[in-house]
């Protein structure tokens, strides 16, 4: 296995990021540090404005004694990791069946019109990214979306406007 | 018999707190088991008697699953909870995590005791941040109260429990993909056998159960297996959380006895929105074949009744469609989902889901050909049963149901290059 040699592991990431990753490492058997890779990628991504660079993924690999390719595999497999820059607020809109039949198209249209971008794009000022996602498990509140860690349900154009206006 | 098991504390002010859970007898069952040193075989026997079947969708008897573990084999064993709720239409485990996390914690500790495991993980989907925080808070409270850690209540039994957060992948709801994911890999299902009971997490004997299944355990043991079994009907013991969504006045999660008529569940959900006509129901998550509304109105919500109607109860996710919906569009969206979520490991699923999506999509968009209807059935038949996990079957299942019951809509799209619904 090709792991990256690091001289000083303590120089990777900020102390807060290391501390947070270490909390996850401690949950798993000592010989399974790799189990913390999903959490580590999320923590590092959050600290980097919402996306992962190759350098950061390499650092995660070094920190967890993994081959870089094993980290890339994880980062590309799961939909919550971003490999390109995203806006400050990533708006994830569910368009799966229960949301679709409750007019998620209207949610998408409204957000696209208001922000002047299409799904998958980021506003020029770097504030918003629109992302289409699969069922987020809140179908009783369809149509719904997620911004950051928060779910927003029973959306109408008016509710969406007030949510966006409330964001920094 | 509404909200008797997993949602029994829902009427409390802040039911997720330890003190509130204990005000309804929470952790009494665990305490009794630890004090009396109840033989694990008795616990497993009681779960078997309850008729509890896996609430994640597969419906495998929980007690039987537990009995596959060789409890006295040396080395670590694991209890894993599957809170990777992702089957489109399902949103019940989210409510258990948010409103009754302690009952899940208690259920997992008891499961550990029953199979001889001292370590557990709850795999929560990554998007569920609020539920994750509630569960984490419950773990902290339980640890401080001595229900987690070493030598629980002086019994000599140790149990530690942690959350693992997912990263956004439907396939990780498949039990062996979930194990791979905890091991820090991409979530591609393992070939079975060996089953997790023999070769599970980190290669150790493991039981994996759904959130609702594990959260049901404390009440099953407290009131007795037969009590639980009698709430439901033959082959479908207990009550069940139904997530009902779609074109409804009052969608939501309802915990009701197995065997309840669908018509009653529909009424609880406030009936079809705007007084429109019920067209169809997907009774068990989007992988379950669709059932026409009229037929559904005569069915009861249990494994056998739904299976006899050619579909499956699955996770209890009921999607209600009114007569304004185009079934071609609905199938197009579902096919897109499976194509998007196929892990790419097995060729029939990786390629077949793409074929299904592209063919349904061209029918929906007025480019359909007459031979496409047979082609869809053919592709679906070539996926089903030819893949490592059930995602392929899940993608194939809805196709046959749609073509069987709503073939005229597909035919109309092909003939007229537009939609039958709304065409007058």
């Amino acid at each position: 296995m090709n792991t990256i040699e690091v001289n000083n592991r303590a120089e990777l990431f900020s102390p807060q990021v290391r501390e947070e990753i270490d909390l996850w490492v401690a949950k798993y058997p000592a010989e399974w540090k790799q189990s913390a890779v999903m959490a580590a990628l999320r923590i590092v991504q959050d600290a980097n404005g919402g996306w992962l660079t190759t350098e950061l993924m390499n650092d995660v690999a070094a920190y967890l004694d993994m081959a870089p390719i094993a980290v890339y595999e994880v980062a590309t497999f799961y939909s919550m990791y971003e490999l390109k820059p995203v806006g400050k607020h990533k708006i994830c809109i569910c368009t799966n069946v229960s949301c679709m039949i409750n007019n998620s198209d209207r949610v998408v249209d409204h957000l696209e019109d208001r922000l002047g971008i299409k799904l998958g794009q980021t506003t020029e000022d770097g504030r918003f990214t629109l992302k289409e996602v699969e069922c987020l498990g809140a179908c009783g509140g369809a149509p719904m979306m997620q911004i950051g860690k928060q779910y927003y349900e029973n959306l109408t154009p008016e509710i969406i406007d007030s949510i966006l206006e409330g964001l920094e | 018999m509404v909200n008797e098991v997993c949602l029994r504390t829902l009427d409390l002010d802040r039911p997720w707190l330890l003190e509130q859970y204990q005000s309804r007898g929470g952790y009494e069952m665990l305490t009794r088991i630890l004090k009396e040193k109840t033989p694990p075989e008795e616990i497993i026997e009681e779960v078997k008697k309850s008729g509890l079947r896996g609430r994640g969708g597969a419906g495998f008897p929980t007690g039987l699953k537990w009995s596959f573990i060789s409890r006295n084999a040396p080395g670590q064993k694991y209890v894993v909870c599957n809170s990777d709720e992702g089957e489109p239409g399902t949103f019940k485990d989210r409510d258990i995590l948010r409103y009754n996390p302690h009952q899940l914690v208690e259920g997992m500790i008891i499961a550990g005791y029953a199979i001889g495991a001292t370590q557990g993980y709850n795999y929560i989907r990554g998007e569920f941040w609020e539920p994750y925080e509630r569960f984490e808070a419950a773990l902290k409270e339980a640890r401080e109260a001595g229900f987690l850690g070493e030598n629980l209540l002086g019994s000599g039994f140790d149990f530690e429990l942690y959350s693992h957060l997912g990263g956004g992948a439907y396939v990780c709801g498949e039990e062996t993909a979930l194990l791979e994911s905890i091991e820090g890999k991409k979530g591609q299902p393992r070939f079975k056998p060996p089953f997790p009971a023999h070769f599970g997490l980190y290669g150790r004997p493991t039981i994996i159960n759904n959130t609702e299944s594990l959260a049901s355990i404390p009440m099953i043991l407290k009131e007795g297996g037969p009590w639980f079994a009698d709430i439901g009907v033959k082959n479908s013991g207990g009550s069940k959380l139904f997530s009902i969504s779609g074109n409804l006045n009052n969608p939501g999660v309802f915990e009701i006895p197995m065997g309840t008529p669908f018509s009653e569940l529909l009424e609880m959900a406030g009936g079809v929105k705007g007084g429109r006509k019920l067209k169809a129901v997907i009774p068990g998550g989007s992988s379950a074949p669709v059932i026409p509304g009229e037929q559904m109105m005569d069915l009861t919500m249990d494994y056998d009744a739904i299976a006899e109607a050619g579909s499956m109860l699955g996770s209890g996710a009921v999607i209600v469609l009114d007569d304004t919906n185009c079934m071609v569009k609905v199938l197009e969206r579902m096919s897109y989902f499976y194509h998007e979520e196929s892990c790419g490991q097995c060729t029939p699923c990786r390629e077949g889901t793409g074929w299904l999506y592209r063919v349904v999509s061209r029918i929906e968009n007025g480019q359909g050909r007459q031979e496409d209807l047979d082609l869809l059935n053919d592709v679906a038949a070539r996926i089903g049963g030819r893949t490592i996990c059930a995602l392929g079957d899940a993608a194939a299942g809805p196709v046959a149901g749609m073509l069987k019951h709503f073939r005229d809509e597909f035919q109309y799209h092909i003939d007229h290059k537009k939609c039958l619904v709304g065409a007058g």
Side-chain angles (χ1 to χ4, degrees):
Chain A
M1 194 162 81
N2 296 313
T3 52
I4 297 178
E5 290 297 321
V6 275
N7 296 325
N8 191 357
R9 187 161 289 148
E11 283 171 15
L12 295 169
F13 315 121
S14 70
Q16 294 95 314
V17 165
R18 281 201 304 273
E19 193 182 322
E20 233 186 301
I21 295 175
D22 290 348
L23 284 176
W24 284 88
V25 171
K27 294 181 174 193
Y28 309 103
E31 66 277 25
W32 279 95
K33 270 165 92 174
Q34 177 175 353
S35 283
V37 68
M38 292 177 68
L41 287 171
R42 175 176 51 76
I43 293 160
V44 169
Q45 172 168 291
D46 285 351
N48 187 51
W51 71 292
L52 293 164
T53 62
T54 305
E55 290 71 30
L56 285 171
M57 289 190 274
N58 289 341
D59 287 351
V60 167
Y63 197 74
L64 298 175
D65 297 325
M66 292 172 69
I69 184 69
V71 176
Y72 307 157
E73 278 189 355
V74 170
T76 52
F77 186 83
Y78 298 94
S79 66
M80 292 175 75
Y81 302 118
E82 303 293 341
L83 304 180
K84 288 183 190 147
V86 291
K88 183 176 179 192
H89 302 290
K90 182 167 80 174
I91 304 176
C92 298
I93 311 157
C94 174
T95 59
N96 209 301
V97 176
S98 290
C99 282
M100 181 183 87
I101 66 176
N102 278 292
N103 293 318
S104 60
D105 285 358
R106 200 166 63 141
V107 173
V108 173
D109 289 347
H110 184 73
L111 281 162
E112 286 186 341
D113 285 350
R114 190 184 154 114
L115 300 175
I117 51 171
K118 295 283 171 197
L119 286 174
Q121 296 179 340
T122 300
T123 54
E124 268 183 29
D125 62 4
R127 288 193 72 216
F128 296 102
T129 296
L130 285 183
K131 182 172 180 173
E132 180 178 35
V133 295
E134 293 302 339
C135 184
L136 293 183
C139 323
M144 66 80 65
M145 64 182 184
Q146 178 170 28
I147 306 177
K149 286 165 176 166
Q150 184 79 34
Y151 275 23
Y152 298 93
E153 304 179 35
N154 301 305
L155 299 174
T156 61
E158 297 72 37
I159 292 173
I160 294 168
D161 286 342
S162 73
I163 293 166
L164 293 196
E165 277 149 26
L167 294 173
E168 284 171 36
Chain B
M1 291 297 275
V2 173
N3 296 351
E4 291 278 331
V5 183
C6 294
L7 299 184
R8 69 195 179 86
T9 56
L10 202 58
D11 58 309
L12 295 173
D13 185 30
R14 293 198 287 168
W16 53 88
L17 297 179
L18 175 65
E19 157 253 324
Q20 302 243 314
Y21 178 57
Q22 286 185 304
S23 77
R24 289 277 168 85
Y27 289 106
E28 274 175 16
M29 200 58 232
L30 174 67
T31 305
R32 200 196 309 170
I33 289 169
L34 293 172
K35 289 252 155 75
E36 293 175 3
K37 303 211 184 309
T38 311
E41 300 75 23
E42 272 181 32
I43 295 173
I44 295 175
E45 200 47 44
E46 209 59 38
V47 176
K48 280 185 184 170
K49 276 189 214 158
S50 76
L52 174 66
R53 293 169 59 171
R55 298 299 196 225
F60 191 82
T62 304
L64 188 60
K65 200 184 226 185
W66 290 11
S67 69
F68 292 153
I69 294 258
S70 170
R71 148 162 239 290
N72 297 317
Q76 186 55 280
K77 302 168 197 71
Y78 293 100
V79 174
V80 174
C81 175
N82 185 345
S83 297
D84 191 40
E85 185 165 54
E87 175 70 20
T90 317
F91 49 101
K92 63 186 179 69
D93 297 334
R94 179 181 178 224
D95 278 2
I96 294 175
L97 293 168
R98 288 196 296 174
Y99 302 125
N100 201 6
H102 277 291
Q103 195 162 312
L104 174 61
V105 173
E106 186 178 4
M108 287 189 73
I109 303 168
I110 295 172
Y113 178 90
I115 65 151
T118 61
Q119 179 87 37
Y121 291 99
N122 184 15
Y123 189 104
I124 302 175
R125 65 176 296 172
E127 296 90 343
F128 273 0
W129 194 261
E130 183 199 11
Y132 160 73
E133 288 194 316
R134 282 276 169 82
F135 187 74
E136 281 287 301
L139 289 182
K140 187 165 178 283
E141 283 189 311
R143 208 167 277 135
E144 282 164 6
F147 295 123
L148 286 174
E150 290 180 358
N151 192 20
L152 304 188
L153 310 178
S155 63
F157 175 65
D158 306 334
F159 194 78
E160 196 44 89
L161 176 55
Y162 299 110
S163 313
H164 182 97
L165 274 173
Y170 167 70
V171 73
C172 286
E174 197 279 339
E175 58 182 14
T176 58
L178 186 149
L179 297 177
E180 290 284 300
S181 187
I182 298 181
E183 292 182 1
K185 304 168 192 163
K186 52 184 177 171
Q188 290 191 318
R190 297 174 182 168
F191 193 81
K192 293 186 276 193
F195 289 93
H198 298 113
F199 189 94
L201 182 61
Y202 306 127
R204 305 299 311 164
T206 302
I207 55 157
I208 309 177
N209 292 120
N210 170 255
T211 314
E212 183 186 347
S213 306
L214 286 164
S216 301
I217 297 299
M219 286 304 287
I220 287 172
L221 297 177
K222 185 170 176 231
E223 303 289 342
W227 169 82
F228 187 80
D230 288 346
I231 296 175
V233 294
K234 187 170 171 277
N235 293 330
S236 301
S239 52
K240 162 110 195 69
L241 273 67
F242 289 96
S243 320
I244 181 165
S245 69
N247 303 122
L248 293 163
N249 286 312
N250 180 33
V253 178
F254 300 92
E255 185 171 38
I256 55 173
M258 286 280 205
T260 300
F262 167 74
S263 56
E264 281 180 30
L265 177 60
L266 182 63
E267 205 177 304
M268 286 179 206
V272 180
K273 212 175 194 171
R276 287 192 298 263
K277 189 167 174 278
L278 175 68
K279 180 175 186 174
V281 176
I282 298 166
S286 79
S287 308
V290 68
I291 296 179
E294 277 179 27
Q295 186 185 357
M296 195 67 205
M297 288 303 277
D298 295 330
L299 295 179
T300 51
M301 300 305 295
D302 55 88
Y303 293 108
D304 290 354
I306 303 295
E308 277 163 27
S311 188
M312 59 181 190
L313 192 69
S315 58
V318 184
I319 304 175
V320 174
L321 301 150
D322 73 20
D323 59 356
T324 62
N325 290 292
C326 165
M327 302 309 265
V328 184
K329 193 177 175 194
V330 169
L331 185 62
E332 182 195 26
R333 186 63 187 86
M334 296 190 328
S335 300
Y336 176 79
F337 169 74
Y338 293 109
H339 176 46
E340 178 75 18
E341 297 294 338
S342 173
C343 81
Q345 184 173 217
C346 309
T347 310
C349 175
R350 182 186 64 238
E351 302 301 323
T353 53
W355 273 91
L356 290 178
Y357 169 61
R358 289 189 298 273
V359 173
V360 179
S361 188
R362 78 180 177 214
I363 297 173
E364 164 67 11
N365 292 301
Q367 311 281 314
R369 307 161 198 169
Q370 188 55 46
E371 60 270 28
D372 281 350
L373 298 181
D374 288 339
L375 180 61
L376 281 177
N377 272 328
D378 186 50
V379 173
R382 283 166 198 270
I383 302 173
R386 290 180 167 80
T387 54
I388 286 176
C389 85
L391 193 147
D393 302 308
V399 174
M402 283 289 190
L403 287 176
K404 181 178 165 200
H405 296 297
F406 298 99
R407 195 182 179 91
D408 55 333
E409 288 189 37
F410 288 79
Q411 189 63 54
Y412 194 92
H413 264 271
I414 291 169
D415 293 343
H416 300 272
K417 318 233 171 279
K418 62 178 183 181
C419 190
L420 177 62
V421 180

